[in-house]
Amino acid sequence: MARPTHRPRLAIRAAVAVAAVLLTACSAGPARHSADVAGADNPARSVTPARLSRTPPADPVRMVLPATGAETRWTQGLDVFVQQVSRAATASCAARRGAAVPQRVPLAFIRFFEIPDLDFIARHGTSESAAVPALTPDASATRPAGPAVLRACGAEGKAAADALRDLYAPLQQRWFAELVSLRHDSATVEALRALPRCLAGHGVRVRDENGFFALADARMQTAAPADLPRESRTLGRAYATCMRPVEAVREPARERLRARFLAAHTGEIRTLRRTLVAALRHAEARYDVRLAFPAP
């Protein structure tokens, strides 16, 4: 199994960059060796790998402005879909010229530890997720694309992605910025004080949540490949268990914050609800890419 990879993305705290190795899916595909939480005492016992869902939320607001860990699965899927549209548009442009673009690093679903999906982490560990569906290469492409084709077609792919991102990214960036305020919420701060003691009870000795990310990153980078599933499972189980009291405070606070955010941006929300899903469906048909989301 390849070690996790990542790409730059909208981040709402520095710890996300530090812990990016923990947030991504393995590029080799979905988890095949993760143990179920219920079978954690039996290392040989495995669980069904994370799967894909094709069902978007009834309200696209939950996909663009997530407030719960489960909602971030939709956000991850949206992010990957836009990247796939970019790649598909680039490849289609090159194929019209009889050329093929070079193979790229596989895309991965990027998790948000600012809004942790504890049920998913407990089941699949810190680094496993569903595999992103691969795009089908165009059989008409018979030769490698040269620099001029790559430049022209890369610009076409970027334009296709930007046309989608422009519908939601400005609003999403403001929402992520709003979430920063919860770091100073007194109830959240108090709940986080108990985190180091809880993690220590699971053999993870750190001073705070950022310390956990740093330790987990180090372990995943230095573990032998055969030990990665066990390390990911152990760390994920500890993190999910110890963060549940924090999320019991923080998740309702995020939902209240989102309600205020929606009330403050009614015009943009109305436009988002009217335009985004139609644009995504149009892009699916045009570029032969399906919107998909990681699911437990």
Side-chain angles (χ1 to χ4, degrees), residues 78 81-83 85-86 89 155-170 272 275-280 282-283 286-287:
L78 174 62
F81 178 77
V82 173
Q83 294 180 72
V85 164
S86 178
E156 188 168 315
K158 181 179 182 302
D162 288 346
L164 293 174
R165 284 198 186 100
D166 288 348
L167 298 174
Y168 69 88
L272 176 75
T275 62
L276 182 59
V277 173
L280 295 175
H282 176 74
R286 180 174 181 181
Y287 298 108

PDB file of all heavy atoms in Angstrom, residues 78 81-83 85-86 89 155-170 272 275-280 282-283 286-287:
ATOM      1  N   LEU A  78     -17.377  16.615  -3.311  1.00  0.00           N
ATOM      2  CA  LEU A  78     -17.462  17.790  -4.180  1.00  0.00           C
ATOM      3  C   LEU A  78     -16.073  18.231  -4.605  1.00  0.00           C
ATOM      4  O   LEU A  78     -15.835  18.530  -5.789  1.00  0.00           O
ATOM      5  CB  LEU A  78     -18.185  18.918  -3.441  1.00  0.00           C
ATOM      6  CG  LEU A  78     -18.246  20.266  -4.154  1.00  0.00           C
ATOM      7  CD1 LEU A  78     -19.013  20.159  -5.467  1.00  0.00           C
ATOM      8  CD2 LEU A  78     -18.882  21.321  -3.235  1.00  0.00           C
ATOM      9  N   PHE A  81     -14.685  15.812  -7.125  1.00  0.00           N
ATOM     10  CA  PHE A  81     -15.412  15.902  -8.397  1.00  0.00           C
ATOM     11  C   PHE A  81     -14.883  17.050  -9.244  1.00  0.00           C
ATOM     12  O   PHE A  81     -14.677  16.900 -10.466  1.00  0.00           O
ATOM     13  CB  PHE A  81     -16.906  16.086  -8.124  1.00  0.00           C
ATOM     14  CG  PHE A  81     -17.734  16.245  -9.373  1.00  0.00           C
ATOM     15  CD1 PHE A  81     -18.051  15.156 -10.161  1.00  0.00           C
ATOM     16  CD2 PHE A  81     -18.191  17.501  -9.762  1.00  0.00           C
ATOM     17  CE1 PHE A  81     -18.813  15.303 -11.314  1.00  0.00           C
ATOM     18  CE2 PHE A  81     -18.946  17.659 -10.908  1.00  0.00           C
ATOM     19  CZ  PHE A  81     -19.262  16.556 -11.690  1.00  0.00           C
ATOM     20  N   VAL A  82     -14.672  18.198  -8.634  1.00  0.00           N
ATOM     21  CA  VAL A  82     -14.175  19.353  -9.387  1.00  0.00           C
ATOM     22  C   VAL A  82     -12.788  19.058  -9.953  1.00  0.00           C
ATOM     23  O   VAL A  82     -12.482  19.420 -11.099  1.00  0.00           O
ATOM     24  CB  VAL A  82     -14.171  20.605  -8.493  1.00  0.00           C
ATOM     25  CG1 VAL A  82     -13.486  21.773  -9.201  1.00  0.00           C
ATOM     26  CG2 VAL A  82     -15.592  20.994  -8.114  1.00  0.00           C
ATOM     27  N   GLN A  83     -11.952  18.380  -9.176  1.00  0.00           N
ATOM     28  CA  GLN A  83     -10.641  18.003  -9.697  1.00  0.00           C
ATOM     29  C   GLN A  83     -10.767  17.014 -10.862  1.00  0.00           C
ATOM     30  O   GLN A  83     -10.019  17.090 -11.846  1.00  0.00           O
ATOM     31  CB  GLN A  83      -9.813  17.369  -8.588  1.00  0.00           C
ATOM     32  CG  GLN A  83      -9.434  18.310  -7.460  1.00  0.00           C
ATOM     33  CD  GLN A  83      -8.622  17.583  -6.407  1.00  0.00           C
ATOM     34  OE1 GLN A  83      -7.457  17.244  -6.626  1.00  0.00           O
ATOM     35  NE2 GLN A  83      -9.226  17.320  -5.257  1.00  0.00           N
ATOM     36  N   VAL A  85     -13.295  16.773 -12.927  1.00  0.00           N
ATOM     37  CA  VAL A  85     -13.769  17.529 -14.091  1.00  0.00           C
ATOM     38  C   VAL A  85     -12.598  18.216 -14.771  1.00  0.00           C
ATOM     39  O   VAL A  85     -12.480  18.214 -16.009  1.00  0.00           O
ATOM     40  CB  VAL A  85     -14.849  18.545 -13.664  1.00  0.00           C
ATOM     41  CG1 VAL A  85     -15.074  19.597 -14.749  1.00  0.00           C
ATOM     42  CG2 VAL A  85     -16.152  17.826 -13.351  1.00  0.00           C
ATOM     43  N   SER A  86     -11.709  18.796 -13.985  1.00  0.00           N
ATOM     44  CA  SER A  86     -10.533  19.448 -14.555  1.00  0.00           C
ATOM     45  C   SER A  86      -9.692  18.460 -15.354  1.00  0.00           C
ATOM     46  O   SER A  86      -9.275  18.745 -16.487  1.00  0.00           O
ATOM     47  CB  SER A  86      -9.694  20.078 -13.440  1.00  0.00           C
ATOM     48  OG  SER A  86      -8.528  20.671 -13.966  1.00  0.00           O
ATOM     49  N   ALA A  89     -11.641  17.313 -18.547  1.00  0.00           N
ATOM     50  CA  ALA A  89     -11.668  18.346 -19.579  1.00  0.00           C
ATOM     51  C   ALA A  89     -10.306  18.467 -20.248  1.00  0.00           C
ATOM     52  O   ALA A  89     -10.209  18.630 -21.471  1.00  0.00           O
ATOM     53  CB  ALA A  89     -12.069  19.683 -18.966  1.00  0.00           C
ATOM     54  N   ALA A 155      -5.186  24.703 -19.512  1.00  0.00           N
ATOM     55  CA  ALA A 155      -5.986  25.910 -19.312  1.00  0.00           C
ATOM     56  C   ALA A 155      -7.474  25.597 -19.465  1.00  0.00           C
ATOM     57  O   ALA A 155      -8.316  26.141 -18.737  1.00  0.00           O
ATOM     58  CB  ALA A 155      -5.563  26.983 -20.300  1.00  0.00           C
ATOM     59  N   GLU A 156      -7.811  24.706 -20.408  1.00  0.00           N
ATOM     60  CA  GLU A 156      -9.216  24.329 -20.597  1.00  0.00           C
ATOM     61  C   GLU A 156      -9.733  23.571 -19.375  1.00  0.00           C
ATOM     62  O   GLU A 156     -10.865  23.776 -18.934  1.00  0.00           O
ATOM     63  CB  GLU A 156      -9.351  23.485 -21.862  1.00  0.00           C
ATOM     64  CG  GLU A 156     -10.786  23.215 -22.250  1.00  0.00           C
ATOM     65  CD  GLU A 156     -10.923  22.643 -23.642  1.00  0.00           C
ATOM     66  OE1 GLU A 156     -10.272  23.162 -24.580  1.00  0.00           O
ATOM     67  OE2 GLU A 156     -11.685  21.665 -23.811  1.00  0.00           O
ATOM     68  N   GLY A 157      -8.901  22.684 -18.840  1.00  0.00           N
ATOM     69  CA  GLY A 157      -9.298  21.955 -17.644  1.00  0.00           C
ATOM     70  C   GLY A 157      -9.481  22.870 -16.451  1.00  0.00           C
ATOM     71  O   GLY A 157     -10.427  22.719 -15.668  1.00  0.00           O
ATOM     72  N   LYS A 158      -8.588  23.832 -16.300  1.00  0.00           N
ATOM     73  CA  LYS A 158      -8.706  24.785 -15.189  1.00  0.00           C
ATOM     74  C   LYS A 158      -9.979  25.607 -15.318  1.00  0.00           C
ATOM     75  O   LYS A 158     -10.675  25.862 -14.322  1.00  0.00           O
ATOM     76  CB  LYS A 158      -7.483  25.698 -15.152  1.00  0.00           C
ATOM     77  CG  LYS A 158      -7.502  26.723 -14.011  1.00  0.00           C
ATOM     78  CD  LYS A 158      -6.263  27.578 -14.026  1.00  0.00           C
ATOM     79  CE  LYS A 158      -6.263  28.562 -12.858  1.00  0.00           C
ATOM     80  NZ  LYS A 158      -7.436  29.460 -12.852  1.00  0.00           N
ATOM     81  N   ALA A 159     -10.297  26.022 -16.526  1.00  0.00           N
ATOM     82  CA  ALA A 159     -11.508  26.807 -16.740  1.00  0.00           C
ATOM     83  C   ALA A 159     -12.762  26.015 -16.380  1.00  0.00           C
ATOM     84  O   ALA A 159     -13.710  26.558 -15.787  1.00  0.00           O
ATOM     85  CB  ALA A 159     -11.577  27.276 -18.193  1.00  0.00           C
ATOM     86  N   ALA A 160     -12.764  24.737 -16.706  1.00  0.00           N
ATOM     87  CA  ALA A 160     -13.920  23.897 -16.376  1.00  0.00           C
ATOM     88  C   ALA A 160     -14.086  23.775 -14.861  1.00  0.00           C
ATOM     89  O   ALA A 160     -15.205  23.820 -14.339  1.00  0.00           O
ATOM     90  CB  ALA A 160     -13.754  22.515 -17.008  1.00  0.00           C
ATOM     91  N   ALA A 161     -12.967  23.600 -14.158  1.00  0.00           N
ATOM     92  CA  ALA A 161     -13.031  23.509 -12.703  1.00  0.00           C
ATOM     93  C   ALA A 161     -13.426  24.838 -12.082  1.00  0.00           C
ATOM     94  O   ALA A 161     -14.258  24.889 -11.160  1.00  0.00           O
ATOM     95  CB  ALA A 161     -11.677  23.051 -12.157  1.00  0.00           C
ATOM     96  N   ASP A 162     -12.864  25.921 -12.586  1.00  0.00           N
ATOM     97  CA  ASP A 162     -13.177  27.238 -12.029  1.00  0.00           C
ATOM     98  C   ASP A 162     -14.645  27.589 -12.203  1.00  0.00           C
ATOM     99  O   ASP A 162     -15.239  28.252 -11.339  1.00  0.00           O
ATOM    100  CB  ASP A 162     -12.309  28.310 -12.694  1.00  0.00           C
ATOM    101  CG  ASP A 162     -10.850  28.260 -12.256  1.00  0.00           C
ATOM    102  OD1 ASP A 162     -10.557  27.575 -11.255  1.00  0.00           O
ATOM    103  OD2 ASP A 162     -10.014  28.904 -12.919  1.00  0.00           O
ATOM    104  N   ALA A 163     -15.246  27.142 -13.306  1.00  0.00           N
ATOM    105  CA  ALA A 163     -16.661  27.427 -13.530  1.00  0.00           C
ATOM    106  C   ALA A 163     -17.528  26.817 -12.429  1.00  0.00           C
ATOM    107  O   ALA A 163     -18.573  27.380 -12.068  1.00  0.00           O
ATOM    108  CB  ALA A 163     -17.091  26.897 -14.896  1.00  0.00           C
ATOM    109  N   LEU A 164     -17.108  25.686 -11.905  1.00  0.00           N
ATOM    110  CA  LEU A 164     -17.833  25.067 -10.796  1.00  0.00           C
ATOM    111  C   LEU A 164     -17.460  25.708  -9.466  1.00  0.00           C
ATOM    112  O   LEU A 164     -18.328  26.037  -8.651  1.00  0.00           O
ATOM    113  CB  LEU A 164     -17.543  23.564 -10.751  1.00  0.00           C
ATOM    114  CG  LEU A 164     -18.080  22.741 -11.920  1.00  0.00           C
ATOM    115  CD1 LEU A 164     -17.590  21.300 -11.818  1.00  0.00           C
ATOM    116  CD2 LEU A 164     -19.603  22.774 -11.966  1.00  0.00           C
ATOM    117  N   ARG A 165     -16.158  25.868  -9.223  1.00  0.00           N
ATOM    118  CA  ARG A 165     -15.712  26.418  -7.937  1.00  0.00           C
ATOM    119  C   ARG A 165     -16.270  27.816  -7.697  1.00  0.00           C
ATOM    120  O   ARG A 165     -16.579  28.174  -6.550  1.00  0.00           O
ATOM    121  CB  ARG A 165     -14.188  26.463  -7.875  1.00  0.00           C
ATOM    122  CG  ARG A 165     -13.527  25.118  -7.643  1.00  0.00           C
ATOM    123  CD  ARG A 165     -12.105  25.285  -7.156  1.00  0.00           C
ATOM    124  NE  ARG A 165     -11.431  23.996  -7.071  1.00  0.00           N
ATOM    125  CZ  ARG A 165     -10.597  23.533  -7.989  1.00  0.00           C
ATOM    126  NH1 ARG A 165     -10.315  24.265  -9.067  1.00  0.00           N
ATOM    127  NH2 ARG A 165     -10.021  22.349  -7.836  1.00  0.00           N
ATOM    128  N   ASP A 166     -16.381  28.599  -8.748  1.00  0.00           N
ATOM    129  CA  ASP A 166     -16.877  29.964  -8.588  1.00  0.00           C
ATOM    130  C   ASP A 166     -18.301  30.005  -8.035  1.00  0.00           C
ATOM    131  O   ASP A 166     -18.724  31.029  -7.481  1.00  0.00           O
ATOM    132  CB  ASP A 166     -16.829  30.710  -9.923  1.00  0.00           C
ATOM    133  CG  ASP A 166     -15.405  31.059 -10.342  1.00  0.00           C
ATOM    134  OD1 ASP A 166     -14.486  30.938  -9.496  1.00  0.00           O
ATOM    135  OD2 ASP A 166     -15.212  31.440 -11.518  1.00  0.00           O
ATOM    136  N   LEU A 167     -19.033  28.898  -8.168  1.00  0.00           N
ATOM    137  CA  LEU A 167     -20.400  28.851  -7.667  1.00  0.00           C
ATOM    138  C   LEU A 167     -20.473  28.715  -6.151  1.00  0.00           C
ATOM    139  O   LEU A 167     -21.499  29.057  -5.555  1.00  0.00           O
ATOM    140  CB  LEU A 167     -21.158  27.683  -8.311  1.00  0.00           C
ATOM    141  CG  LEU A 167     -21.322  27.727  -9.833  1.00  0.00           C
ATOM    142  CD1 LEU A 167     -21.968  26.439 -10.323  1.00  0.00           C
ATOM    143  CD2 LEU A 167     -22.140  28.941 -10.239  1.00  0.00           C
ATOM    144  N   TYR A 168     -19.412  28.185  -5.536  1.00  0.00           N
ATOM    145  CA  TYR A 168     -19.498  27.908  -4.105  1.00  0.00           C
ATOM    146  C   TYR A 168     -18.255  28.275  -3.295  1.00  0.00           C
ATOM    147  O   TYR A 168     -18.347  28.508  -2.081  1.00  0.00           O
ATOM    148  CB  TYR A 168     -19.788  26.418  -3.873  1.00  0.00           C
ATOM    149  CG  TYR A 168     -18.664  25.491  -4.238  1.00  0.00           C
ATOM    150  CD1 TYR A 168     -17.675  25.171  -3.318  1.00  0.00           C
ATOM    151  CD2 TYR A 168     -18.588  24.919  -5.507  1.00  0.00           C
ATOM    152  CE1 TYR A 168     -16.636  24.310  -3.663  1.00  0.00           C
ATOM    153  CE2 TYR A 168     -17.562  24.062  -5.852  1.00  0.00           C
ATOM    154  CZ  TYR A 168     -16.589  23.765  -4.931  1.00  0.00           C
ATOM    155  OH  TYR A 168     -15.569  22.914  -5.265  1.00  0.00           O
ATOM    156  N   ALA A 169     -17.083  28.333  -3.917  1.00  0.00           N
ATOM    157  CA  ALA A 169     -15.845  28.489  -3.151  1.00  0.00           C
ATOM    158  C   ALA A 169     -15.769  29.795  -2.359  1.00  0.00           C
ATOM    159  O   ALA A 169     -15.327  29.783  -1.204  1.00  0.00           O
ATOM    160  CB  ALA A 169     -14.636  28.339  -4.073  1.00  0.00           C
ATOM    161  N   PRO A 170     -16.155  30.943  -2.904  1.00  0.00           N
ATOM    162  CA  PRO A 170     -16.077  32.167  -2.091  1.00  0.00           C
ATOM    163  C   PRO A 170     -16.894  32.074  -0.806  1.00  0.00           C
ATOM    164  O   PRO A 170     -16.437  32.478   0.269  1.00  0.00           O
ATOM    165  CB  PRO A 170     -16.619  33.251  -3.032  1.00  0.00           C
ATOM    166  CG  PRO A 170     -16.331  32.721  -4.404  1.00  0.00           C
ATOM    167  CD  PRO A 170     -16.558  31.238  -4.296  1.00  0.00           C
ATOM    168  N   LEU A 272     -26.877  29.697  -4.488  1.00  0.00           N
ATOM    169  CA  LEU A 272     -26.205  28.396  -4.394  1.00  0.00           C
ATOM    170  C   LEU A 272     -27.205  27.263  -4.581  1.00  0.00           C
ATOM    171  O   LEU A 272     -26.959  26.322  -5.352  1.00  0.00           O
ATOM    172  CB  LEU A 272     -25.517  28.275  -3.032  1.00  0.00           C
ATOM    173  CG  LEU A 272     -24.850  26.929  -2.727  1.00  0.00           C
ATOM    174  CD1 LEU A 272     -23.545  26.788  -3.508  1.00  0.00           C
ATOM    175  CD2 LEU A 272     -24.570  26.801  -1.215  1.00  0.00           C
ATOM    176  N   THR A 275     -28.340  27.052  -8.312  1.00  0.00           N
ATOM    177  CA  THR A 275     -27.401  26.822  -9.418  1.00  0.00           C
ATOM    178  C   THR A 275     -26.465  25.623  -9.268  1.00  0.00           C
ATOM    179  O   THR A 275     -26.073  25.030 -10.285  1.00  0.00           O
ATOM    180  CB  THR A 275     -26.527  28.069  -9.622  1.00  0.00           C
ATOM    181  OG1 THR A 275     -25.755  28.318  -8.420  1.00  0.00           O
ATOM    182  CG2 THR A 275     -27.378  29.285  -9.940  1.00  0.00           C
ATOM    183  N   LEU A 276     -26.084  25.278  -8.045  1.00  0.00           N
ATOM    184  CA  LEU A 276     -24.974  24.332  -7.899  1.00  0.00           C
ATOM    185  C   LEU A 276     -25.308  22.936  -8.411  1.00  0.00           C
ATOM    186  O   LEU A 276     -24.559  22.362  -9.207  1.00  0.00           O
ATOM    187  CB  LEU A 276     -24.512  24.257  -6.438  1.00  0.00           C
ATOM    188  CG  LEU A 276     -23.324  23.316  -6.201  1.00  0.00           C
ATOM    189  CD1 LEU A 276     -22.114  23.726  -7.025  1.00  0.00           C
ATOM    190  CD2 LEU A 276     -22.984  23.252  -4.715  1.00  0.00           C
ATOM    191  N   VAL A 277     -26.410  22.359  -7.958  1.00  0.00           N
ATOM    192  CA  VAL A 277     -26.724  20.981  -8.344  1.00  0.00           C
ATOM    193  C   VAL A 277     -26.896  20.876  -9.857  1.00  0.00           C
ATOM    194  O   VAL A 277     -26.402  19.924 -10.480  1.00  0.00           O
ATOM    195  CB  VAL A 277     -27.981  20.483  -7.607  1.00  0.00           C
ATOM    196  CG1 VAL A 277     -28.404  19.117  -8.144  1.00  0.00           C
ATOM    197  CG2 VAL A 277     -27.707  20.389  -6.106  1.00  0.00           C
ATOM    198  N   ALA A 278     -27.559  21.839 -10.466  1.00  0.00           N
ATOM    199  CA  ALA A 278     -27.736  21.807 -11.926  1.00  0.00           C
ATOM    200  C   ALA A 278     -26.382  21.852 -12.629  1.00  0.00           C
ATOM    201  O   ALA A 278     -26.162  21.145 -13.624  1.00  0.00           O
ATOM    202  CB  ALA A 278     -28.603  22.978 -12.370  1.00  0.00           C
ATOM    203  N   ALA A 279     -25.464  22.662 -12.131  1.00  0.00           N
ATOM    204  CA  ALA A 279     -24.141  22.756 -12.746  1.00  0.00           C
ATOM    205  C   ALA A 279     -23.364  21.458 -12.577  1.00  0.00           C
ATOM    206  O   ALA A 279     -22.653  21.020 -13.501  1.00  0.00           O
ATOM    207  CB  ALA A 279     -23.362  23.917 -12.128  1.00  0.00           C
ATOM    208  N   LEU A 280     -23.483  20.827 -11.429  1.00  0.00           N
ATOM    209  CA  LEU A 280     -22.797  19.553 -11.206  1.00  0.00           C
ATOM    210  C   LEU A 280     -23.345  18.477 -12.140  1.00  0.00           C
ATOM    211  O   LEU A 280     -22.575  17.685 -12.718  1.00  0.00           O
ATOM    212  CB  LEU A 280     -22.952  19.115  -9.747  1.00  0.00           C
ATOM    213  CG  LEU A 280     -22.293  20.025  -8.692  1.00  0.00           C
ATOM    214  CD1 LEU A 280     -22.625  19.532  -7.292  1.00  0.00           C
ATOM    215  CD2 LEU A 280     -20.783  20.085  -8.888  1.00  0.00           C
ATOM    216  N   HIS A 282     -24.790  18.922 -15.012  1.00  0.00           N
ATOM    217  CA  HIS A 282     -24.356  19.258 -16.373  1.00  0.00           C
ATOM    218  C   HIS A 282     -22.907  18.816 -16.585  1.00  0.00           C
ATOM    219  O   HIS A 282     -22.572  18.253 -17.643  1.00  0.00           O
ATOM    220  CB  HIS A 282     -24.497  20.758 -16.601  1.00  0.00           C
ATOM    221  CG  HIS A 282     -23.982  21.204 -17.934  1.00  0.00           C
ATOM    222  ND1 HIS A 282     -24.651  20.975 -19.119  1.00  0.00           N
ATOM    223  CD2 HIS A 282     -22.825  21.864 -18.282  1.00  0.00           C
ATOM    224  CE1 HIS A 282     -23.956  21.471 -20.125  1.00  0.00           C
ATOM    225  NE2 HIS A 282     -22.842  22.008 -19.650  1.00  0.00           N
ATOM    226  N   ALA A 283     -22.055  19.042 -15.599  1.00  0.00           N
ATOM    227  CA  ALA A 283     -20.650  18.636 -15.715  1.00  0.00           C
ATOM    228  C   ALA A 283     -20.526  17.116 -15.766  1.00  0.00           C
ATOM    229  O   ALA A 283     -19.681  16.575 -16.497  1.00  0.00           O
ATOM    230  CB  ALA A 283     -19.849  19.195 -14.544  1.00  0.00           C
ATOM    231  N   ARG A 286     -21.398  16.183 -19.352  1.00  0.00           N
ATOM    232  CA  ARG A 286     -20.454  16.689 -20.353  1.00  0.00           C
ATOM    233  C   ARG A 286     -19.112  15.965 -20.300  1.00  0.00           C
ATOM    234  O   ARG A 286     -18.515  15.671 -21.345  1.00  0.00           O
ATOM    235  CB  ARG A 286     -20.249  18.187 -20.148  1.00  0.00           C
ATOM    236  CG  ARG A 286     -19.266  18.792 -21.149  1.00  0.00           C
ATOM    237  CD  ARG A 286     -19.185  20.291 -21.024  1.00  0.00           C
ATOM    238  NE  ARG A 286     -18.263  20.864 -21.997  1.00  0.00           N
ATOM    239  CZ  ARG A 286     -17.993  22.150 -22.104  1.00  0.00           C
ATOM    240  NH1 ARG A 286     -18.602  23.028 -21.294  1.00  0.00           N
ATOM    241  NH2 ARG A 286     -17.125  22.579 -22.999  1.00  0.00           N
ATOM    242  N   TYR A 287     -18.638  15.674 -19.073  1.00  0.00           N
ATOM    243  CA  TYR A 287     -17.292  15.122 -18.931  1.00  0.00           C
ATOM    244  C   TYR A 287     -17.270  13.644 -18.540  1.00  0.00           C
ATOM    245  O   TYR A 287     -16.204  13.078 -18.324  1.00  0.00           O
ATOM    246  CB  TYR A 287     -16.514  15.941 -17.892  1.00  0.00           C
ATOM    247  CG  TYR A 287     -16.351  17.387 -18.301  1.00  0.00           C
ATOM    248  CD1 TYR A 287     -17.064  18.390 -17.650  1.00  0.00           C
ATOM    249  CD2 TYR A 287     -15.529  17.750 -19.363  1.00  0.00           C
ATOM    250  CE1 TYR A 287     -16.944  19.720 -18.031  1.00  0.00           C
ATOM    251  CE2 TYR A 287     -15.390  19.072 -19.750  1.00  0.00           C
ATOM    252  CZ  TYR A 287     -16.099  20.053 -19.080  1.00  0.00           C
ATOM    253  OH  TYR A 287     -15.986  21.370 -19.464  1.00  0.00           O
TER     254      TYR A 287
END
